[in-house]
Amino acid sequence: MQKLFASIALTAAMSLQIATAQQSGAWKMVEGKISTPWAQNVNAANPHPEYPRPQLVREKWVNLNGMWNYSIVPKVSSEAKPATFQGNILVPFAVESALSGVGKTVGKDSVLWYNRKVNFALKTKNENVLLHFGAVDWECDVFVNGQKAGAHKGGYDAFSIDITSFLVKGNSQDISVRVWDPSSDGPQPRGKQIKNPNSIWYTPVTGIWQTVWLETVPLTYIRSTRNTPDIDKENVVIKTAIKNAQPGDIVKITAFDNGNSVAEKEVSPEEDGVLTIKSPKLWSPETPFLYDLKVSLVRKGKVVDEVKSYFAMRKISMKPDQNGIQRMLLNNKFVFQYGPLDQGWWPDGLYTAPTDEALKFDIVKTKEMGFNMIRKHVKVEPATWYNYCDKLGMLVWQDMPSGDLGNHWEPNPGITGNETEQNRTPESESIYRTEWKEILDETYNFPCIVVYVPFNEAWGQFKTAEITEWTMKYDPSRLVNSASGGNFFPVGDIMDLHHYPAPVMPRPDLFGAKQVIVLGEFGGLGLPVPEHTWQQKNNWGYQSFKNSEELYAKYDSFINSFEPLIKRGLSAAVYTQTTDVEIETNGLMTYDRKVIKMPEAKLMQIHKKLYNPAWGNSNP
């Protein structure tokens, strides 16, 4: 059978058909809730058109976002694709979201079906077709022309299926996706999703919520790279994974500084490429320099496959200061890390930003407010989000999305002894371990990520020492914050306390000799802004204020209290939070991003003092 590939021309024609359908009323955002300014810019013919994988770029790809058919059917009768569909859904927005055009809840007793026909043109026998999904929450089966092509479990990691053998002759291919998501009724990682949203728990997210796309690759191709910089040795190690490598194949790796080649290496597919980067330009929030990278697979002098990527020369580590307190270092220097708890929710798209411009907006505003770090809270973002953090110079702490909640503990700042752990089933453990490894693999190449957080506040926390030690061994290039906010075990690089509203710190005399001391959450100062809230009344914050002036005065007093904490050994702090989320109104911005509650310039000015390097080597 001849191999097929996605035709750009035919895809353009298909997009035109979708646009025509949109004009005739086939798609409309669900009304009833607030929305962001970017909602009106969503193009149903071509939503999220940007290339979705900035760390491994190829030219031949086709975006499958847009209008799909959908049906929600009972789980007991869901094995076969529905004979008819209930309507249109705009991918990549979850079915519960307003931007999907559907706005319906699915739940554990139903499944969600997607279907669309895709046009292809004939191509040579020397290429394969990969179908990529950025993220699908939670369990899905993929069918191509009526045959099951693959399956996946995991709501936060990307996956790919080689669909070449399932394609049929002609210009029309049928793709269907079956999704089941038990939300808070299941043990799987789900973050803040819950079937009955309330308080700090939000609307479920079911189905496709990141870009779906097709890519053509050679029979032998570059599957991935793993880029590990070492600023002390002035080199970067590039490990490649090659699919169907042949004897004699060569991997050629080239690093560029603003278009100029600075290092080059040729190795076999089994070898690591070690590139010397002389006098490296170090990546930091002030100077986020990125080296471009080109990796070519060469056979008998001919380039078989080629991808573009990038890397940064940066180091995250820890070392005792003159008082014997462990400090978090960036590029071998103490840098106080300060940023907001960022949940990445949107009133119109839920897990999915309306547009790429919207996705970037939150990072830009965080930077303009004078923060140098973001804690990405129990959610994983699209690769493009981390790419913007890399480019803009934003440090990131990456949480593992929580799930299988149930265990509790008595918070007791400063001492241990009240730890409990969730007794997870073998299935639950396997789900967690599988997805955590996938998340680490997919985010490894992003230099912005400096800390991994396996657990938050005992939410599903289990086998803490084992999970932490595995994470540290699997990726020794980052620090590991084993249990943010409590349920402390003497493992990992970081001791992390949560305290609302005022900033405090774990006791350095008990923990500081072995672990970095951080304040993983504080603040939560609330200001509900009329006409910009998820609901009209009964909104919630840790402490609410009447106006922006009162809010700023309290926040300023918190910032002024940090100097003695940093001098005693505090290395980082996280303020709750970037935006309001559903009924929570303790954001620096409203949920719709239309109101910034405290002026960026004033925040930038008061935050500058926190980065005084002398505070990291001072006596209290």
Side-chain angles (χ1 to χ4, degrees), residues 6 9 31 65 72 102 154 158 199 205 248 345 384 465 488 551 566 609:
E31 298 179 352
N65 292 342
I72 300 172
V102 180
S199 183
V205 172
W345 284 75
T384 47
F488 304 126
L551 175 68
I566 298 173
K609 70 182 76 170

Side-chain angles (χ1 to χ4, degrees), residues 283 285 328 336-344 359-379 381 385-386 388-390 392-399 448-453 481 519-521 572-579 588-589 593 611:
W283 184 96
M328 194 182 307
F336 186 74
Q337 297 188 24
Y338 182 55
L341 190 77
D342 191 300
Q343 308 206 58
L359 188 73
K360 183 179 179 181
F361 176 85
D362 283 2
I363 307 169
V364 170
K365 285 300 170 186
T366 301
K367 189 85 173 178
E368 290 177 352
M369 292 175 183
F371 296 102
N372 66 359
M373 176 263 282
I374 291 171
R375 179 182 169 200
K376 179 50 62 177
H377 190 41
V378 294
K379 184 198 177 190
E381 292 290 357
W385 186 88
Y386 300 97
Y388 281 131
C389 289
D390 289 344
L392 295 170
M394 186 61 70
L395 301 166
V396 174
W397 294 13
Q398 179 61 56
D399 286 13
C448 62
I449 299 177
V450 293
V451 173
Y452 282 123
V453 187
N481 182 1
L519 173 60
E521 292 180 28
V574 178
Y575 177 80
T576 301
Q577 59 185 327
T578 305
T579 72
L588 295 160
M589 297 183 283
R593 276 73 166 176
Y611 308 124

Side-chain angles (χ1 to χ4, degrees), residues 315-333:
K315 175 184 178 182
I316 186 71
S317 60
M318 54 190 280
K319 184 179 180 181
D321 63 14
Q322 64 185 23
N323 300 314
I325 304 300
Q326 292 287 347
R327 294 287 186 170
M328 194 182 307
L329 308 182
L330 180 67
N331 300 330
N332 296 323
K333 297 179 180 179

Side-chain angles (χ1 to χ4, degrees), residues 4-5 74 132 156 280 305 324 338 398 434 455 536 609 620:
L4 307 171
F5 88 116
H132 299 284
Y156 299 92
D305 188 27
Y338 182 55
Q398 179 61 56
T434 298
F455 299 110
Q536 295 304 311
K609 70 182 76 170

Side-chain angles (χ1 to χ4, degrees), residues 70-87:
Y70 88 93
S71 276
I72 300 172
V73 300
K75 188 174 186 291
V76 293
S77 60
S78 67
E79 295 304 319
K81 184 180 78 172
T84 60
F85 287 86
Q86 297 166 356

Side-chain angles (χ1 to χ4, degrees), residues 214-239:
L214 285 167
E215 178 183 36
T216 57
V217 296
L219 298 182
T220 300
Y221 65 94
I222 302 163
R223 295 183 62 177
S224 64
T225 71
R226 191 174 176 91
N227 313 330
T228 307
D230 189 325
I231 68 169
D232 300 318
K233 294 181 179 178
E234 296 192 343
N235 67 29
V236 59
V237 178
I238 311 297
K239 182 187 293 291

